[in-house]
Amino acid sequence: PGFPPPPPSPPLIKLAVLTFPPKSPPPPRLINPPPPPPNRPPPPPDRVPPVLTLSGAANVVLRQSLPGQERPYKDAGAGCMDIVDGVIVNIAVSGLDSVSTVEYTPAGQPFVITFDCMDRLGNSAPTLTRTVVVEALCPEPSFLCPDGACAKTGAGGRGVCLGSLGDDQEEVAAATAEFQEEKENTNPPKLILLPLDCGPNNGCQLSVLDDPAEPGKFTFIIVQNVTQGAIFVDPGVRAVDEEDG
């Protein structure tokens, strides 16, 4: 008799072996760690004074006002710019309240208006002045009468206001009109570009140039950076007239 066949062999099971890298040892502990790197040196102090610029002419000539028709003087002002602070709006002005066109200014004695400004660190710009001359409506030795006519002057040089009584009223009125016509305002107004508002965080780049030919004179170059797609707001211009302000 034959033997029964052997039972089938069980399936082989393969085991996967996972390996892990060894843990790195912790870094050595420093007993005395090195000091932190030294800080950057502070920026040099701001020693550049601001630049003060007159708006309009430095010498202004006005006409004497007719009686009862005085026009207040309107000064064109000045602008002050600093390389660090940007536009400085606090400008000290003196002598402006004394300007009047009621009386003419004697020769060599004009009204004087002074302008001063300084930055936050106390650097002061050189003082600027504007002179205002008021020309007489009547040639000397005559003077302006209450009715707006020039006084009649005799051989002794003493003037007399004729008013409505003198026979020479038409003659005096014609001479007054001829003289006053020469004093007509023929100066055109001026357009002045207003400065950009250049602060530390509004995209302005300021640089200053020192003029070696004139020590203490500085020239500012201002560049306004605008991001593509942004809206640029122009500061505009200002019109200034010597008589109308």
Side-chain angles (χ1 to χ4, degrees):
F3 295 96
S9 301
L12 298 178
I13 299 176
K14 296 182 179 181
L15 300 177
V17 179
L18 301 178
T19 60
F20 298 93
K23 294 183 179 180
S24 57
R29 184 177 181 184
L30 299 178
I31 300 176
N32 295 320
N39 296 329
R40 292 183 178 180
D46 176 20
R47 295 190 177 95
V48 180
V51 174
L52 185 61
T53 306
L54 286 180
S55 300
N59 302 300
V60 177
V61 178
L62 304 176
R63 292 179 300 162
Q64 182 182 6
S65 299
L66 293 171
Q69 301 181 19
E70 180 186 3
R71 291 176 297 177
Y73 171 70
K74 298 179 181 179
D75 192 80
C80 187
M81 181 74 70
D82 186 70
I83 188 68
V84 176
D85 300 339
V87 177
I88 299 177
V89 297
N90 294 325
I91 300 177
V93 183
S94 62
L96 181 60
D97 295 337
S98 62
V99 179
S100 173
T101 58
V102 174
E103 300 290 342
Y104 67 90
T105 53
Q109 301 180 27
F111 296 107
V112 179
I113 306 172
T114 61
F115 301 85
D116 293 278
C117 74
M118 68 171 56
D119 60 16
R120 288 181 295 179
L121 291 182
N123 300 311
S124 299
T127 300
L128 295 183
T129 60
R130 190 193 322 273
T131 60
V132 180
V133 174
V134 180
E135 290 186 337
L137 285 178
C138 298
E140 293 184 350
S142 179
F143 54 88
L144 191 63
C145 294
D147 60 355
C150 293
K152 175 71 173 180
T153 56
R158 183 178 180 181
V160 177
C161 291
L162 300 179
S164 59
L165 301 177
D167 296 335
D168 299 333
Q169 182 180 2
E170 294 183 359
E171 176 185 350
V172 174
T176 299
E178 181 180 359
F179 179 80
Q180 294 178 358
E181 185 177 358
E182 299 176 359
K183 306 297 181 180
E184 290 294 331
N185 178 16
T186 58
N187 299 319
K190 298 179 180 179
L191 286 176
I192 302 172
L193 289 175
L194 296 179
L196 297 171
D197 185 12
C198 287
N201 300 315
N202 62 352
C204 282
Q205 294 179 352
L206 285 80
S207 59
V208 63
L209 299 179
D210 188 3
D211 190 350
E214 298 185 32
K217 181 180 180 181
F218 300 92
T219 302
F220 277 92
I221 299 177
I222 308 173
V223 179
Q224 174 77 57
N225 298 323
V226 180
T227 306
Q228 183 178 4
I231 299 176
F232 171 70
V233 180
D234 190 87
V237 297
R238 178 171 58 180
V240 179
D241 187 74
E242 291 186 355
E243 289 207 15
D244 300 335

